Amino acid sequence: MAALSHRRSQRKRRTLAVSAALVAAGVGAGVFVMSANADAVDLYHQTLAAKDGWAAAGTGTTGGTKADAAHTFTVSTRAGLVKALGSASDTTARIIKIKGTIDANTDDSGKKLSCADYAAGTGYSLSAYLKAYDPSTYGRSKLPSGTQEKARAAAQAKQAKNIVFKVPANTTIVGVPGTGAGITGGNLQVKNADNVIIRNLAFSATEDCFPQWDPTDGDKGNWNSQYDEVTLRGATHVWADHNTFTDAPHLDTSDPTYYGRQYQIHDGALDITNGSDLVTVEHNRFTDHDKTMLIGSSDKDSTGKLRVSLHHNVWKGIVQRAPLARIGQIHVYNNLYDTTTVDGYAPLYSIDSRARAQVVAQDNYWKVPSGGKVAKLLSGDGTGSVEGSGNLVNGTATDLVAVYDAVNAKKIKPTVNWTPTLTAGLETSAANLPAELATTTGAGVLK
């Protein structure tokens, strides 16, 4: 056993040496994994490279690298994943290898569960709920309360108990290459935990069976759902790398309409809230989704935190929040934004800087279809900042803030109060990003 451990250490040192050389050459760490000799790479023990975004700050992000054999798991079922995760308060280092696709909507024996199963015994029914809170009789001035709302909440709690997976500190979760690894219908939640790695997983079809009607949300009310595909709440040192996020196969276009509003069953793709800090999100694909990434749960979220790096991601077929940023220092570099409408997901904006957010948008590429408005690539509330440089729109250098400010009363400030220094892999030209990121992002790329 000692000899095996020694060989692993040698491989790790070779891995870090190659990684450092490539970073020095301006190549992202994710690309290194794909091009290096497979014998020299231990995907499950790989740590975040030095200076690779905010998650590299301080102690860096090593996940479950120190896991012993007893805390190294290969799982392919919901029950197996729950067992491998253990208690959310257990900080023992662990490595979880996901093989194939895990369906969160199954019981411990693997039997498929439906919305009706979660509603059973609660007294909830959609028809009764719709009758009880019809705005024409219930009004629009207050949230639903009473028998059916309590029943809806109880049914939602039953679903949450089954599909929310709580990730403890010092954990690495990686999809096994070549197995179509991922989680469908689930919510991976990192809450008040430090040092977590999530890689090579396809997250899909995370759906709330029991959205709540809120007649006070906006001018016409809205249906609001729970469950992001990945949720960070009070999480620190998190590295999310080479994952895919999608609503498929249940797209928003198939949602019914009640009270004149879409019955929305999806929430965020990857939300970073409640004082989360030191997060790097890289080489992921976000597609077929509306409210994609929220950074900061409200305008009163934690000052001095919410430091996030987003780089070499692809955003295509998304409506908004790529990201919606509040309060924090967010570095957005070398991302590809394709604002073509896909599967009915029509874009509203890409980056929203509000609540005094300090966003640096550097060397990103926007593909905007004919008729698309460049002024709608950004959004803000008049308090946020976006310092931009090197950004291209259809190959042409564009000052996104100047274009936005020219037609909007609530201006976005063009300067920020910080300078990014954790910029490993930064490419100083965005020109090649459409071709490069087409084959180097998302789940299934790492080998």
Side-chain angles (χ1 to χ4, degrees):
M1 293 300 294
L4 288 175
S5 175
H6 179 65
R7 286 198 296 271
R8 178 182 298 160
S9 177
Q10 287 179 326
R11 287 198 302 270
K12 182 176 179 182
R13 286 197 293 270
R14 288 196 297 269
T15 295
L16 293 175
V18 175
S19 178
L22 288 171
V23 167
V27 179
V31 177
F32 141 68
V33 174
M34 292 173 283
S35 60
N37 187 310
D39 292 336
V41 175
D42 182 348
L43 184 63
Y44 309 108
H45 289 83
Q46 190 177 7
T47 62
L48 180 65
K51 296 187 177 181
D52 190 353
W54 274 116
T59 56
T61 302
T62 59
T65 304
K66 296 181 180 179
D68 58 19
H71 292 89
T72 300
F73 310 89
T74 299
V75 301
S76 57
T77 66
R78 174 193 162 276
L81 177 58
V82 170
K83 183 177 180 180
L85 288 169
S87 169
S89 61
D90 183 355
T91 61
T92 305
R94 69 194 65 221
I95 294 172
I96 301 174
K97 308 173 187 180
I98 293 183
K99 188 175 182 180
T101 299
I102 291 176
D103 189 343
N105 289 293
T106 52
D107 65 15
D108 289 345
S109 68
K111 178 185 175 182
K112 180 68 177 176
L113 298 176
S114 67
C115 294
D117 291 316
Y118 297 128
T122 66
Y124 172 84
S125 83
L126 178 58
S127 59
Y129 191 90
L130 292 173
K131 182 178 180 181
Y133 306 112
D134 189 327
S136 66
T137 54
Y138 186 79
R140 294 182 175 273
S141 62
K142 59 181 180 179
L143 285 171
S145 63
T147 302
Q148 271 302 301
E149 173 55 23
K150 290 180 180 178
R152 184 205 64 80
Q156 191 177 67
K158 284 182 65 176
Q159 184 183 13
K161 186 177 181 180
N162 211 76
I163 72 168
V164 176
F165 302 104
K166 297 182 179 180
V167 181
N170 305 316
T171 296
T172 292
I173 306 177
V174 181
V176 176
T179 68
I183 299 174
T184 185
N187 170 211
L188 205 60
Q189 184 181 104
V190 186
K191 183 177 181 181
N192 300 327
D194 179 66
N195 193 29
V196 172
I197 295 172
I198 303 168
R199 307 181 74 197
N200 202 39
L201 293 168
F203 296 95
S204 63
T206 299
E207 301 167 3
D208 186 349
C209 288
F210 313 103
Q212 182 187 37
W213 170 244
D214 183 354
T216 69
D217 184 352
D219 296 333
K220 299 180 180 179
N222 274 305
W223 292 96
N224 294 317
S225 60
Q226 297 287 338
Y227 320 127
D228 311 315
E229 289 174 325
V230 174
T231 302
L232 310 185
R233 292 180 182 167
T236 52
H237 290 108
V238 178
W239 179 27
D241 170 54
H242 281 93
N243 304 294
T244 297
F245 300 84
T246 179
D247 290 348
H250 188 143
L251 306 179
D252 281 355
T253 51
S254 62
D255 289 344
T257 298
Y258 300 122
Y259 307 153
R261 304 296 288 167
Q262 178 190 354
Y263 191 67
Q264 177 59 266
I265 61 173
H266 302 115
D267 196 15
L270 196 174
D271 279 4
I272 304 166
T273 63
N274 296 83
S276 291
D277 197 24
L278 306 178
V279 177
T280 297
V281 179
E282 62 170 295
H283 290 92
N284 301 282
R285 296 186 70 88
F286 298 90
T287 185
D288 287 341
H289 198 84
D290 183 354
K291 296 175 286 187
T292 309
M293 180 181 291
L294 181 65
I295 300 177
S297 53
S298 74
D299 290 357
K300 296 181 180 180
D301 208 322
S302 304
T303 301
K305 297 185 178 181
L306 300 170
R307 291 173 290 180
V308 179
S309 297
L310 310 174
H311 72 85
H312 293 90
N313 301 290
V314 173
W315 317 75
K316 181 177 181 180
I318 63 103
V319 177
Q320 58 186 316
R321 300 186 180 182
L324 185 158
R326 294 183 171 110
I327 299 171
Q329 296 175 335
I330 295 96
H331 193 196
V332 182
Y333 65 95
N334 294 156
N335 296 279
L336 173 62
Y337 294 89
D338 187 335
T339 63
T340 306
T341 296
V342 177
D343 295 330
Y345 292 87
L348 292 177
Y349 64 83
S350 298
I351 300 172
D352 185 345
S353 180
R354 57 197 310 108
R356 305 174 308 285
Q358 302 289 303
V359 179
V360 175
Q362 189 174 10
D363 297 298
N364 301 287
Y365 194 109
W366 272 265
K367 295 175 69 174
V368 178
S370 177
K373 295 184 178 180
V374 177
K376 290 189 174 182
L377 299 180
L378 301 182
S379 182
D381 65 351
T383 71
S385 301
V386 175
E387 184 171 296
S389 63
N391 295 303
L392 304 181
V393 176
N394 295 336
T396 300
T398 304
D399 186 336
L400 300 176
V401 174
V403 174
Y404 173 87
D405 284 351
V407 296
N408 287 280
K410 293 183 177 180
K411 310 298 184 184
I412 293 175
K413 297 177 177 63
T415 58
V416 298
N417 60 10
W418 70 292
T419 300
T421 58
L422 303 171
T423 57
L426 172 63
E427 300 174 57
T428 55
S429 171
N432 294 327
L433 291 176
E436 172 194 334
L437 299 185
T439 58
T440 59
T441 55
V445 171
L446 298 179
K447 305 298 183 184

